[in-house]
Amino acid sequence: MLDVNKLVQDFPQVDQLIEGQPLFWQNPDYQQKAALPIGLANIFDAEARFQRFAKYFEVAFPETLPTKGILESPLIPIPDMQTAISRSQAQPLVGQLLLKADNLLPISGSIKSRGGIYEVLKFAEKIAVEAGILVYEDNYAILANSEFKELFSQYGIAVGSTGNLGLSIGIVAQKLGFQTTVHMSSDAAQWKKDLLRAKGAVVVEYDDNFSNAITAGRKQAAMDPKVYFIDDEGSVDLFLGYSVAALRLQGQLKAQGIKVDEEHPLFVYLPAGVGGSPGGVAFGLKEVFGKNVHPIFAEPTHIPSVTLGMMTGLNDQISVYDVGIDGITKADGLAVGRPSRIAGKFMKTLLLGSATFPDEQMMAELARLYQTEKIKVEPSAASGFAILKQCQEALASEYPLANSTHIVWSTGGAMVPSTDFARYLADGQAELGN
Ligand SMILES: *Cc1c(COP(=O)(O)O)cnc(C)c1O
């Protein structure tokens, strides 16, 4: 049995988490030496696989033609947002603020277009190569042919999701020809379920939280040897798919003349659910930029699963429900009570820290971003902005913030229906008082 009093004694910030107070947690193990089972070579392997599939994407998803079949998002300076944030607080936000706009990623309009799609591609490639109808040097455009669809239709792909992971996997797996089953938690937005069904995927709905929905999905998939389960709670392939973002970001920073070194640190603010997508990106960034990039996770005060797991060192052995936190948030993409099995382990020395924020702040930032920059994101994707002030206060004495670059990772939004967005906006405007 978990002894909550003992936990609070050992880790006093747990009390703040339970009370729902926004906090900044600084990771005591940050930048220590550690041996990870994966490294830069694995990131390049993932990048090479995306490159092989680029010709397929050009054919199957013509919206990827402008980027030659590569799924990538822009890095956008947002000076008007920075000014508005500075005006809203006592201290101006110093350094340069940019948005990594994964809300615009092709196919699913979210960060899941990296990890989720990557794992589907890896599975499809393995089956096709083993069947003897694909070789690695083929032009992968042939994967759109009926011969491949017939092969893939003999297999199933299953996944548990709060929404976007199911969307990214469902859309690509259905297109390749797999039978797709998506197990959705009660937090998943209705339009995501509707869209998946329209694409031909089977959507199983649970009147339950994410951790239980994914467990049910995993069990069901295990009964059928032809079904491959993509496991958001522990997949290294998902993690590696996300990590490719770091290579792309390195190029984008260079193209924009932005330096990353000791005098010019880079802070990256990443929304965390199970910790897979922010973990994969953070891992990639640490491999590419080393000690001068500083990843920070953002989580709602009502569901700070990765923060609780890392702070206590219990990682996936503790859920927010164990300490009486209710798990209720408008950030549907972050509505995950228990972190993944690998996030805390891999992030132990790579994550500077994490911060929690109230939903109201997140909704206000969603509205502020739209009003200043005309950029539409979903609630989860605005959470990086909601922790900027706390982070600045916590980090000012240790880092040269005036020379720093701040990248808020915007994780989803392009596919949100306009009626849903109008509701989010009204909600956020009310918080801003306009
Ligand atoms: C999934 C998701 C996240 C968080 O990713 P995890 O891998 O669950 O930590 C953040 N934002 C959005 C919009 C998402 O869909």
Side-chain angles (χ1 to χ4, degrees):
M1 253 317 270
L2 185 75
D3 182 345
V4 177
N5 289 328
K6 173 88 169 53
L7 213 54
V8 171
Q9 246 171 32
D10 293 348
F11 308 99
Q13 277 189 306
V14 170
D15 198 39
Q16 255 175 291
L17 284 182
I18 294 172
E19 294 298 321
Q21 295 162 10
L23 60 76
F24 180 83
W25 170 72
Q26 191 145 10
N27 178 6
D29 299 314
Y30 184 50
Q31 308 271 45
Q32 302 294 315
K33 277 218 157 38
L36 280 181
I38 48 175
L40 198 57
N42 302 89
I43 304 175
F44 282 117
D45 177 50
E47 170 67 11
R49 184 164 290 107
F50 270 125
Q51 295 284 352
R52 290 199 289 280
F53 273 91
K55 287 272 181 275
Y56 168 73
F57 280 115
E58 285 186 332
V59 175
F61 296 93
E63 69 262 37
T64 66
L65 274 169
T67 52
K68 298 198 164 55
I70 293 300
L71 315 179
E72 198 37 73
S73 71
L75 176 67
I76 310 172
I78 42 172
D80 293 345
M81 178 68 171
Q82 182 164 4
T83 304
I85 292 172
S86 289
R87 284 207 186 116
S88 75
Q89 54 192 45
Q91 298 290 326
L93 180 64
V94 297
Q96 191 192 3
L97 182 65
L98 297 129
L99 189 76
K100 180 60 177 158
D102 275 6
N103 53 295
L104 297 176
L105 271 184
I107 299 181
S108 77
S110 86
I111 192 166
K112 304 301 191 307
S113 283
R114 304 182 187 285
I117 289 175
Y118 176 70
E119 190 157 353
V120 172
L121 302 184
K122 188 166 177 192
F123 180 61
E125 183 180 55
K126 177 170 178 281
I127 291 174
V129 169
E130 281 175 5
I133 57 174
L134 180 75
V135 297
Y136 294 117
E137 298 216 330
D138 271 331
N139 176 336
Y140 277 29
I142 59 171
L143 284 157
N145 297 348
S146 60
E147 176 188 19
F148 288 91
K149 280 200 178 137
E150 269 162 41
L151 172 68
F152 296 144
S153 70
Q154 298 161 34
Y155 294 85
I157 288 186
V159 63
S161 173
T162 60
N164 287 336
L165 185 63
L167 213 54
S168 71
I169 287 171
I171 292 171
V172 172
Q174 283 296 124
K175 185 74 105 183
L176 280 162
F178 292 105
Q179 301 169 39
T180 319
T181 308
V182 182
H183 300 266
M184 291 279 213
S185 60
S186 54
D187 298 288
Q190 188 60 42
W191 67 266
K192 293 178 185 174
K193 298 176 197 169
D194 296 342
L195 182 63
L196 270 171
R197 289 198 172 108
K199 301 268 178 195
V202 175
V203 177
V204 187
E205 294 185 58
Y206 295 82
D207 189 15
D208 207 340
N209 67 51
F210 172 78
S211 309
N212 293 334
I214 194 173
T215 303
R218 189 187 293 114
K219 267 194 195 136
Q220 192 186 318
M223 294 189 301
D224 186 341
K226 288 227 149 178
V227 173
Y228 180 75
F229 186 71
I230 296 184
D231 195 343
D232 200 21
E233 290 188 316
S235 166
V236 175
D237 283 330
L238 271 178
F239 201 80
L240 286 169
Y242 293 126
S243 74
V244 165
L247 301 175
R248 318 274 180 75
L249 186 70
Q250 187 190 31
Q252 291 177 325
L253 286 167
K254 184 181 181 195
Q256 296 186 27
I258 297 170
K259 275 191 279 190
V260 181
D261 56 32
E262 193 123 23
E263 282 76 49
H264 304 86
L266 170 62
F267 296 89
V268 184
Y269 305 87
L270 297 146
V274 292
S277 72
V281 170
F283 157 74
L285 290 172
K286 283 309 238 183
E287 288 292 325
V288 170
F289 293 102
K291 66 180 187 349
N292 299 315
V293 64
H294 305 291
I296 301 171
F297 286 1
E299 294 196 292
T301 50
H302 281 266
I303 195 153
S305 49
V306 180
T307 306
L308 178 66
M310 289 190 70
M311 183 186 283
T312 59
L314 293 172
N315 294 326
D316 62 308
Q317 299 301 304
I318 189 168
S319 97
V320 300
Y321 306 111
D322 295 339
V323 297
I325 301 174
D326 66 12
I328 297 170
T329 176
K330 288 176 185 165
D332 54 313
L334 313 182
V336 173
R338 184 186 298 280
S340 87
R341 293 189 298 280
I342 59 174
K345 215 163 48 183
F346 286 9
M347 285 302 104
K348 188 169 165 63
T349 61
L350 304 182
L351 188 72
L352 185 154
S354 67
T356 62
F357 59 85
D359 273 19
E360 293 78 11
Q361 185 73 33
M362 170 185 75
M363 298 310 291
E365 300 302 347
L366 178 150
R368 204 194 317 270
L369 183 64
Y370 183 70
Q371 288 174 348
T372 54
E373 307 280 352
K374 288 284 166 288
I375 296 172
K376 289 187 190 182
V377 300
E378 63 180 275
S380 303
S383 42
F385 293 110
I387 63 165
L388 284 177
K389 184 160 164 270
Q390 279 143 281
C391 291
Q392 182 171 256
E393 285 166 5
L395 299 170
S397 62
E398 243 182 281
Y399 296 95
L401 291 187
N403 298 331
S404 62
T405 302
H406 304 275
I407 296 182
V408 167
W409 214 281
S410 155
T411 45
M415 290 171 81
V416 176
S418 54
T419 48
D420 292 66
F421 186 76
R423 261 192 301 117
Y424 300 150
L425 187 60
D427 196 350
Q429 281 170 330
E431 293 299 338
L432 285 175
N434 61 19

